[in-house]
Amino acid sequence: MATNLTGTVALVTGASSGIGAATARRLAEHRASVVLVARRKDRLDDLAAEIEKAGGTALVVEADIADRAQAEAAVQQAVESFGRLDILVNNAGLMLLGPVVGADVEEWERMIAVNVQGLLYTTRAALPHLLKAAEDGPRRVADIVNISSIAGRVAWNGYGVYNLTKFGVNGSPSPCARKSPSGTSASVSWSRAAWTPSWARTTSPRSRAR
């Protein structure tokens, strides 16, 4: 990323660790003001302090994006604090693996709520602000980046509903994937297995979350 993002605002979900935290750091390095969204406020506070110590600007928003009201409030808080929103990174995700036979249906529902519905809630809330930013922003463009997984391209034994949710993420930009006249675009990033703190802590494949 070589672009100077001075004057722009980026919101990153699942920013408390792993890919989300790394993305937030990189955006801040390139002078974007970063809105850090996740459930674990203590980790967000630490990341915000790190970014600000390095000369960046960060806002902490504790929220569970699986709850539509909280997702919408997170976007609203970003706009109220900075006056605009130029970049949305939908990174929040939950990975609970295991065989379909005998699976806990509540785990399925939680993955769908976070990985799919949460992404849709934040995108829906952010779109009007992104479109406005594309019209009058310093770059004349706004971006939606959805973080998927190689599990969204290849179905593996034991990945079940997680596969389903990531295949859904791959299709999620479809309504806005073509660049609009105002310069808003959407893209998907597929990640392979990443050695994140949440992955490193895992003793059971059912406990991987970010």
Side-chain angles (χ1 to χ4, degrees), residues 11-121:
L11 186 152
V12 182
T13 68
S16 57
S17 65
I19 293 170
T23 300
R25 288 188 188 97
R26 184 58 63 89
L27 288 163
E29 286 173 7
H30 290 272
R31 303 295 181 234
S33 296
V34 184
V35 182
L36 310 172
V37 180
R39 293 173 296 162
R40 294 176 288 186
K41 185 176 184 299
D42 56 337
R43 296 194 174 198
L44 295 180
D45 287 338
D46 290 344
L47 178 57
E50 176 188 332
I51 288 171
E52 289 169 355
K53 183 177 180 180
T57 301
L59 171 69
V60 168
V61 179
E62 180 183 8
D64 180 354
I65 63 158
D67 182 293
R68 180 164 61 91
Q70 291 187 48
E72 292 173 349
V75 171
Q76 188 60 33
Q77 189 171 339
V79 175
E80 288 177 355
S81 297
F82 294 109
R84 62 182 308 106
L85 182 61
D86 303 83
I87 300 166
L88 171 64
V89 181
N90 284 310
N91 168 73
L94 186 66
M95 185 164 87
L96 303 171
L97 307 183
V100 172
V101 176
D104 184 341
V105 174
E106 290 185 359
E107 290 187 352
W108 292 357
E109 292 172 342
R110 181 63 182 164
M111 276 193 288
I112 292 168
V114 175
N115 300 2
V116 180
Q117 291 175 226
L119 180 151
L120 293 174
Y121 293 155

